[in-house]
Amino acid sequence: MDVALYQPDIPQNTAAILRTARCFNAAVHIVGPAAFDLSDRAVRRAGLDYAARATLVRHSNWTSFLDAIGTRRTVLFTTRASTFVTEFAFEADDILLFGQESAGVPDDVHAAAGATVRIPMAADTRSLNLAVSVGIGLIEGLRSSATIQLKGLA
């Protein structure tokens, strides 16, 4: 199971996501363009030594990302979804897709997703931090895919 970030805006979030993904042996795909240089000091600082050891795959745009992943299913996390992440049947090879912090994903990317899910939240709230959302999504995806892929983790 991997994570994909669509045109991320905030380097500190991306660094935290790299760190989280590394802890669960997941690759992070950056679907460009990102709003910052991935070698930015903020990414290195927030990611600590985990970011340097994380698997980072860069794609210049949405089309190159789709070409690279082939038939793997993308599961888009969006507040527009009707299915809760806790009710969804993840597969071990899924790619968990998250949109920009400022704008989510455009309609064509939304329409191209293999599935959409949302994280349940209190009715009077509108969103979680992206790095927090990725952590929730990744552990729930791993747990529910029945492969949990936590072998070799302490």
Side-chain angles (χ1 to χ4, degrees), residues 46-111:
L48 302 173
D49 60 332
Y50 293 83
R53 295 183 355 228
T55 301
L56 176 62
V57 184
R58 298 171 187 175
H59 307 277
S60 59
N61 56 44
W62 178 245
T63 302
S64 67
F65 169 71
L66 290 177
D67 289 344
I69 66 167
T71 60
R72 291 179 71 185
R73 180 173 67 172
T74 56
V75 180
L76 175 64
F77 282 68
T78 173
T79 57
R80 294 170 30 191
S82 57
T83 303
F84 286 130
V85 64
T86 52
E87 300 167 343
F88 186 74
F90 287 92
E91 297 170 5
D93 204 31
D94 283 342
I95 298 177
L96 310 182
L97 176 62
F98 297 83
Q100 287 179 300
E101 293 93 337
S102 62
V105 298
D107 289 339
D108 64 317
V109 172
H110 196 281

Side-chain angles (χ1 to χ4, degrees), residues 1-5 11-29 43-56 96 98 129-142 148-150 153:
M1 189 165 293
D2 290 343
V3 171
L5 305 178
Q12 294 88 342
N13 279 341
T14 299
I17 291 163
L18 283 168
R19 185 176 179 179
T20 298
R22 174 64 185 107
C23 288
F24 292 106
N25 292 324
V28 175
H29 297 256
V43 172
R44 290 192 311 271
R45 184 177 63 243
L48 302 173
D49 60 332
Y50 293 83
R53 295 183 355 228
T55 301
L56 176 62
L96 310 182
F98 297 83
N129 172 275
L130 180 62
V132 171
S133 295
V134 169
I136 291 168
L138 188 55
I139 195 64
E140 180 59 22
L142 290 169
I148 196 100
Q149 299 180 6
L150 297 180
L153 302 181

Side-chain angles (χ1 to χ4, degrees), residues 38 40 45 48 89 104 109 116 127 147:
L38 287 171
D40 187 349
R45 184 177 63 243
L48 302 173
V109 172
T116 59
S127 67
T147 60

